[in-house]
Amino acid sequence: MHIIAAVPKSVERVHLRSDMICRMAILRVHVVPNAKTDSVVGEHGGAVKIKLRAPAVEGQANAALVRFLAEQMKLPRHAIVLQRGHKSRDKLIRVDGLSQEDVRPRLLEN
């Protein structure tokens, strides 16, 4: 007797190319909220220091950080993911679509 498992019709197949898998970077960021302008100001303890106009209230600075990083690196917003540090100035950001070597030059050139 053979048992045949039914595969639901809603299952989608996802095809990943090898270059898509490796193109992800992790970025450490130190955020200074309530600044006069949005800008990258250098480094702070191995992290990229970024000043943002947004206040650190109800996630406004986190949303502003994602927008700012997407604009600076010329990526869509969904490619910037806040991994850790939602309520801290020190944050860990995942950047999809760029390699680790490409992230800092894109941020520091502007």
Side-chain angles (χ1 to χ4, degrees), residues 61-77:
N62 290 337
L65 176 64
V66 169
R67 272 192 311 273
F68 177 74
L69 290 173
E71 287 172 11
Q72 291 295 307
M73 291 188 272
K74 297 170 182 61
L75 292 171
R77 285 186 199 164

Side-chain angles (χ1 to χ4, degrees), residues 23-29 39-40 48 50 62 64-82 91-110:
R23 297 188 62 119
M24 179 193 74
I26 300 296
L27 179 66
R28 288 182 48 223
V29 175
S39 63
V40 176
V48 176
I50 298 176
N62 290 337
L65 176 64
V66 169
R67 272 192 311 273
F68 177 74
L69 290 173
E71 287 172 11
Q72 291 295 307
M73 291 188 272
K74 297 170 182 61
L75 292 171
R77 285 186 199 164
H78 66 81
I80 310 296
V81 180
L82 179 57
K91 302 180 184 297
L92 200 63
I93 306 290
R94 186 182 81 217
V95 181
D96 296 331
L98 291 179
S99 67
Q100 196 72 32
E101 296 81 27
D102 294 336
V103 170
R104 282 188 186 248
R106 282 198 185 194
L107 274 180
L108 299 174
E109 75 185 18
N110 295 323

